[in-house]
Amino acid sequence: MNRTARPWLAKAIINGLLLGSAALAVLPLLWMLSASLMAPGEASSLPPRLLPAHASLDNYRALFGQAGMGRYLLNSLLVAGAITLLSLACNVAAGYAFAKLRFGGRERLFRGLLGALLIPAQVAMLPLFLLLKYLGLVNSYAGVIAPGMATVFGIFLVRQYARSVPDELLEAARIDGAGELRIFMQIVLPLLRPIVATLAIFSFLTAWNDFMWPLIVLTGQEHYTLPIALASLSREHWQDTELMMAGSVVTVLPVLLLFLAMQRYYLAGLMLGSVKG
Amino acid sequence: MNPPRAAWLFLMPALLVLGLFFVLPVLAALLLSFTDYDLYALADPRNLRFVALDNYWGLLQRPLFWSALGHTCYFVAVGVPLSMAASLGTALLLNSPLARGQAFFRTALFAPVVTTVVAVALIWRYLFNTKYGLVNEALAGFGIHPVDWLGDPHWAMPTIILFAVWKNFGYNMIILLAGLQAIPPELYEAARIDGASALRQFRHITLPMLRPTLLMVSILSVSGYFQLFAEPYVMTEGGPLQSTESVLYLMYDEGFKWWNLGSASAVAFLLFVVMFAVTALMLRLGRRGDAAEVQP
């Protein structure tokens, strides 16, 4: 039997499978949104409901009014924003140096950094906690931010991209007497703009979604980021399905929207990061 | 300012951060794992004693460590192949010339990757609820009796694996899709002229060409899946009957619940050793496969 005799069948199967898998990927998120708009108890009625009888924002009001969600949202924005800005500064400068500036031991140092990627971050967490305790930074924003201020992955990503900056351009500027800092700020940075955008969204999403380290270093509620607050709320309000789903929406929606808006940069970075250097 | 000095100035902030908050703590963790650092030492460092390999011997004799390692290996051994299959399957669908609306489907399939583990794990907890969950409700339509997904020690880990596959497959899907798009179309054309079926084209063109990418993403997935923590923390709290307690969960409890930081550091290093051994083995087997292919 010749396959090509039935192109419509192959087309229907492929698109049907795509539709089915996309539905599986997205439906849990849609259910979260729907349940967050239901009245208390509605999501756990029998038979289960898919859509709210009367959609209302009461759960969100309760979250921001009584559960202090506004505070956690601001904490998350502050922590993820600070990590993004600081790590961009460190990673872009270092990535550029590894790609374009000559110095003794460059390759060895870079390979050493890549080797460090093999060590899971959790190995460092116990002494890091002690270090921050002696520095008085446990249960502070700085304690969450500090270890995220530079990443090997970010340096690697910038280096990969910065290698395409033409050396002639830098040499010409040096001959004209421009200092290294000026060359970096005025010539290199504008050329690196796409990778800076990519790295910014990567860093923000990673910092926003991070769980284990904030859970360890934040010992008091007042500094909780959204994931930590949500995990703690869920142990207290387990029965309140609708309230918890509203909390999940508040946590997930900002990053989902950011991803939708900056998708192009995010996916480009994902491919660049996966290329063996 | 000459370039070498400028280079070090550009590197300085990043190296300081990585040195102080990563390299130094990793070395300290190794030292810590040879001590009995606990709550008493936390209060007064003079209580600290050097115990050589006692922490490691102690762990290797504890059933809890072995069961945590077993659960983690189960999660990796089942989760990574399932995850890779989902990634490859969806990448092939997206890459098919017959597919419509690729950009839309790609975004939809990728969406779970950018979400927050804690938030979406909560969704799954409710969807897989025994009594009110939509999953059991849907299965009831097929006449299947309700399953106690997260309350039954036999089902809890499979449910967490399903969750992890759903959450993560989109990441490798994008990388594999890029790999598929890089395969020269002439290869398929030549195969079609020779009358090769779609299945043969997949086996003799797609898979060999995709091999390096497949090897790389599976190694990265294995090391990612070994770091199982947030999923059981939110979905099962390590239960029921500790059936979802992972190695990192053990490290967290040991270190930050019981404050046995020496022993917890030993847990972290043992995990590192296991991960290193498994990924090195995969790399070796993968490379040997490449060499075998070159031979006639």
Side-chain angles (χ1 to χ4, degrees):
Chain A
M1 174 74 75
N2 193 348
R3 244 172 13 88
T4 47
R6 294 183 180 171
W8 60 270
L9 185 64
K11 201 170 161 181
I13 291 176
I14 284 175
N15 286 290
L17 284 173
L18 266 180
L19 196 65
S21 44
L24 280 180
V26 173
L27 279 180
L29 300 174
L30 291 177
W31 180 80
M32 158 185 78
L33 189 63
S34 169
S36 77
L37 301 172
M38 290 181 184
E42 204 180 338
S44 38
S45 54
L46 284 172
R49 287 228 185 91
L50 288 178
L51 291 170
H54 303 283
S56 90
L57 293 174
D58 286 352
N59 297 313
Y60 294 91
R61 271 181 216 116
L63 271 182
F64 282 92
Q66 291 130 46
M69 207 63 169
R71 171 85 197 232
Y72 305 135
L73 184 62
L74 285 179
N75 288 345
S76 266
L77 282 172
L78 180 86
V79 165
I83 288 180
T84 305
L85 289 178
L86 292 167
S87 72
L88 272 182
C90 290
N91 292 340
V92 172
Y96 162 67
F98 275 121
K100 285 287 142 187
L101 299 179
R102 245 155 279 213
F103 57 94
R106 181 172 85 167
E107 298 312 311
R108 217 175 328 144
L109 184 60
F110 186 68
R111 249 177 290 145
L113 281 185
L114 286 188
L117 277 179
L118 289 173
I119 306 172
Q122 294 88 356
V123 171
M125 283 180 184
L126 299 144
L128 193 55
F129 179 84
L130 293 178
L131 175 69
L132 293 183
K133 189 173 169 292
Y134 290 121
L135 294 175
L137 293 178
V138 165
N139 200 24
S140 72
Y141 296 121
V144 193
I145 295 165
M149 288 191 305
T151 59
V152 176
F153 175 75
I155 295 173
F156 173 74
L157 209 60
V158 174
R159 173 188 175 263
Q160 292 297 94
Y161 193 89
R163 287 204 293 190
S164 65
V165 174
D167 282 321
E168 299 79 38
L169 207 62
L170 308 176
E171 284 310 323
R174 277 184 199 122
I175 289 165
D176 287 348
E180 291 297 328
L181 191 65
R182 216 177 117 203
I183 294 176
F184 176 69
M185 298 299 280
Q186 294 189 347
I187 300 175
V188 177
L189 263 191
L191 290 173
L192 294 184
R193 206 174 287 157
I195 199 66
V196 171
T198 297
L199 193 54
I201 169 168
F202 255 94
S203 314
F204 190 87
L205 289 186
T206 310
W208 183 278
N209 290 337
D210 196 15
F211 183 64
M212 196 169 179
W213 177 245
L215 178 73
I216 289 170
V217 81
L218 297 177
T219 48
Q221 281 192 4
E222 68 279 13
H223 294 101
Y224 274 2
T225 56
L226 282 170
I228 317 305
L230 200 60
S232 136
L233 267 179
S234 79
R235 293 194 168 182
E236 200 180 317
H237 287 273
W238 175 237
Q239 300 301 326
D240 306 327
T241 313
E242 303 77 14
L243 185 76
M244 289 316 303
M245 285 302 95
S248 289
V249 171
V250 173
T251 308
V252 163
L253 204 58
V255 276
L256 217 48
L257 292 178
L258 184 69
F259 165 69
L260 287 177
M262 309 258 300
Q263 209 187 137
R264 197 159 55 88
Y265 292 106
Y266 187 91
L267 296 180
L270 213 160
M271 319 259 216
L272 194 65
S274 71
V275 176
K276 277 186 280 185
Chain B
M1 190 160 48
N2 55 346
R5 228 178 84 204
W8 288 107
L9 284 177
F10 280 116
L11 286 173
M12 195 60 78
L15 291 185
L16 268 179
V17 169
L18 290 173
L20 189 60
F21 298 122
F22 188 70
V23 179
L24 185 73
V26 167
L27 296 176
L30 189 61
L31 292 180
L32 209 54
S33 74
F34 299 133
T35 70
D36 68 345
Y37 202 110
D38 58 9
L39 204 52
Y40 300 104
L42 198 60
D44 184 353
R46 272 173 303 178
N47 291 322
L48 188 66
R49 281 181 317 151
F50 178 76
V51 297
L53 292 171
D54 279 6
N55 287 323
Y56 292 93
W57 293 134
L59 281 170
L60 296 179
Q61 280 160 15
R62 259 172 82 183
L64 191 61
F65 172 75
W66 289 105
S67 68
L69 186 61
H71 302 145
T72 310
C73 289
Y74 176 24
F75 179 74
V76 173
V78 180
V80 172
L82 273 180
S83 197
M84 296 289 299
S87 305
L88 184 59
T90 45
L92 285 170
L93 286 173
L94 284 175
N95 194 46
S96 162
L98 298 173
R100 292 286 164 271
Q102 276 113 328
F104 170 78
F105 283 127
R106 193 186 58 185
T107 306
L109 290 166
F110 193 77
V113 175
V114 295
T115 58
T116 315
V117 178
V118 175
V120 287
L122 281 177
I123 306 178
W124 277 61
R125 249 187 102 159
Y126 292 115
L127 289 179
F128 280 80
N129 183 289
T130 316
K131 203 166 163 199
Y132 309 110
L134 290 175
V135 174
N136 274 345
E137 178 72 12
L139 290 177
F142 297 98
I144 297 170
H145 287 293
V147 178
D148 190 3
W149 295 102
L150 290 164
D152 181 332
H154 296 291
W155 281 111
M157 191 52 102
T159 309
I160 290 184
I161 289 173
L162 274 183
F163 168 72
V165 170
W166 173 81
K167 170 86 175 66
N168 299 319
F169 81 92
Y171 193 89
N172 290 338
M173 175 190 79
I174 296 293
I175 297 172
L176 291 175
L177 183 60
L180 285 173
Q181 284 164 350
I183 300 176
E186 301 86 55
L187 289 180
Y188 291 106
E189 264 159 47
R192 257 196 301 273
I193 291 167
D194 290 346
S197 68
L199 195 66
R200 289 194 55 151
Q201 288 180 32
F202 177 73
R203 272 192 53 195
H204 296 286
I205 300 174
T206 314
L207 273 187
M209 293 295 285
L210 212 53
R211 243 186 98 99
T213 319
L214 276 171
L215 180 65
M216 184 199 65
V217 293
S218 50
I219 288 176
L220 290 178
S221 301
V222 163
S223 62
Y225 273 54
F226 263 116
Q227 298 172 34
L228 173 68
F229 174 71
E231 293 86 347
Y233 185 91
V234 177
M235 293 171 83
T236 56
E237 298 175 29
L241 298 175
Q242 293 177 328
S243 62
T244 55
E245 172 138 352
S246 65
V247 177
L248 278 186
Y249 209 116
L250 177 66
M251 181 201 98
Y252 176 82
D253 272 356
E254 194 71 11
F256 298 103
K257 197 165 159 194
W258 310 116
W259 299 102
N260 293 323
L261 292 161
S263 159
S265 293
V267 174
F269 266 95
L270 286 174
L271 177 68
F272 174 40
V273 169
V274 171
M275 281 171 65
F276 189 81
V278 172
T279 48
L281 186 71
M282 286 176 72
L283 200 62
R284 230 178 132 170
L285 289 177
R287 291 228 171 110
R288 204 162 69 190
D290 278 349
E293 230 156 70
V294 175
Q295 284 159 10

